[in-house]
Amino acid sequence: MGSNCGVYSPLKPEELQVLRGQYEKEGDFVGVQTKFNYAWGLIKSNVRGEQQEGVRLLSEIYRNAPERRRECLYYLALGNFKLGNYAEARRYNESLLQHEPANMQAASLQSLIDDKVAKEGLVGVAIVSGVAIAAGVIGSLIFKGARRR
């Protein structure tokens, strides 16, 4: 599936509409497979609200259908990754890798998660460092001002 492991390949709108139509048609009696298919399509979307709904639906399946948990793990990891919830993405992905250490999609997603966390961590360090330097400069100016009096 390549290095992006499906992160950036949404369904065509008409394909997602077919899944949505089936999900809505089943209504209160929606089957687990129909719900999973629709959640999968939503997670592949580039629309944040659809991704959030996909994660919500998969979370319901994960909680309520223990026999389907393993197949939910990758898409819960992927959905959380796309939403920027890297700790959650890592948790689901590591759980999948414990069950399936040779899963190449999960290994690829783990690399993406690690890269994002490293980049955002460096940005966070730069921001914290900048704030610390600014606080130090302000503190020294206040201290010098107090000594002059």
Side-chain angles (χ1 to χ4, degrees):
M1 198 173 230
S3 64
N4 73 8
C5 60
V7 174
Y8 304 109
S9 53
L11 296 180
K12 294 180 182 122
E14 56 274 12
E15 293 170 328
L16 184 58
Q17 188 52 46
V18 167
L19 296 175
R20 180 179 290 121
Q22 183 63 39
Y23 175 79
E24 290 171 352
K25 185 174 123 195
E26 292 184 24
D28 292 338
F29 304 103
V30 66
V32 174
Q33 188 61 50
T34 299
K35 185 185 271 192
F36 180 88
N37 292 347
Y38 181 45
W40 168 81
L42 290 169
I43 283 182
K44 291 178 70 64
S45 172
N46 289 330
V47 178
R48 185 172 178 82
E50 291 179 348
Q51 294 166 355
Q52 289 169 327
E53 179 66 5
V55 167
R56 188 187 69 73
L57 292 173
L58 279 175
S59 295
E60 286 177 9
I61 296 169
Y62 187 83
R63 276 192 310 273
N64 301 327
E67 72 281 3
R68 303 295 293 263
R69 283 187 180 153
R70 190 179 286 180
E71 65 189 302
C72 288
L73 287 171
Y74 174 76
Y75 292 104
L76 280 166
L78 179 61
N80 278 289
F81 172 79
K82 290 177 78 172
L83 291 168
N85 303 330
Y86 304 126
E88 282 293 294
R90 177 177 275 145
R91 187 171 64 86
Y92 286 119
N93 204 56
E94 285 176 352
S95 182
L96 177 57
L97 285 168
Q98 284 176 349
H99 295 293
E100 300 176 18
N103 185 316
M104 295 308 292
Q105 272 188 313
S108 178
L109 182 55
Q110 191 66 40
S111 301
L112 288 174
I113 293 168
D114 291 343
D115 289 350
K116 267 296 198 197
V117 168
K119 283 179 192 159
E120 293 207 355
L122 290 175
V123 168
V125 167
I127 290 169
V128 169
S129 298
V131 169
I133 290 168
V137 169
I138 291 168
S140 68
L141 292 173
I142 291 170
F143 184 71
K144 284 179 185 175
R147 283 192 5 217
R148 287 188 186 143
R149 292 183 187 158

